[in-house]
Amino acid sequence: MREQILIFNADDSETKSRLRRALMPLRVRVRAVGETDYTKTIGEIAGLTPAPGKNSVSSDPDGNPAALSDPMMVFVGFSSARLDAALRSLRKNSVSIPYKAVLTESNAGWTPHALLAELKKEHAMTHREK
């Protein structure tokens, strides 16, 4: 699968500018994912075939997908070395998106809401232990 980074709910111009600056030298494709895709699975958004069974997604009273509460990025198709390089470049350019994940076989069938909820649980557990 071709390398790409899926960005969710990172709409401010400063974050976008820092992302471009950080990832341009690495020639990484960055794709901002709109709310209309939040009912799809992460795998579908990344371009994989639809996964059987989706986790539930929260929506507003009209049935439209709800916005994510926080920004999130998902790395797709990265080798370990390329992932390390991308993360170093993001840190160097002060890109602050605390919720990051790598697309895996396990999370490919999750919706963005389900993945963010899991990342928040892991983040809370990690920071509680320190």
Side-chain angles (χ1 to χ4, degrees):
M1 170 154 283
R2 185 174 163 216
E3 275 185 355
Q4 64 177 316
I5 298 176
L6 304 174
I7 303 292
F8 298 83
N9 195 31
D11 298 328
D12 69 277
S13 60
E14 181 63 25
T15 299
K16 286 180 181 179
S17 175
R18 286 176 192 232
L19 269 168
R20 277 193 298 273
R21 203 170 35 247
L23 299 170
M24 191 181 307
L26 299 173
R27 298 180 187 251
V28 174
R29 178 177 181 233
V30 177
R31 184 168 150 232
V33 179
E35 287 182 26
T36 57
D37 287 333
Y38 288 4
T39 58
K40 296 178 181 176
T41 65
I42 299 296
E44 289 172 314
I45 295 167
L48 301 176
T49 56
K54 296 179 182 181
N55 289 328
S56 62
V57 63
S58 50
S59 58
D60 69 16
D62 297 324
N64 298 317
L68 292 175
S69 59
D70 294 286
M72 172 176 70
M73 53 189 342
V74 179
F75 295 84
V76 178
F78 279 73
S79 68
S80 292
R82 289 283 290 168
L83 179 61
D84 289 345
L87 292 172
R88 267 193 311 274
S89 188
L90 291 170
R91 272 191 301 276
K92 180 180 175 186
N93 285 279
S94 303
V95 176
S96 180
I97 298 179
Y99 301 108
K100 299 175 190 74
V102 173
L103 179 69
T104 65
E105 193 175 307
S106 297
N107 65 23
W110 298 359
T111 63
H113 288 88
L115 179 57
L116 181 61
E118 183 62 25
L119 290 174
K120 284 183 167 191
K121 278 194 270 184
E122 291 175 7
H123 193 265
M125 287 178 8
T126 302
H127 286 75
R128 195 176 313 135
E129 293 173 6
K130 291 183 178 182

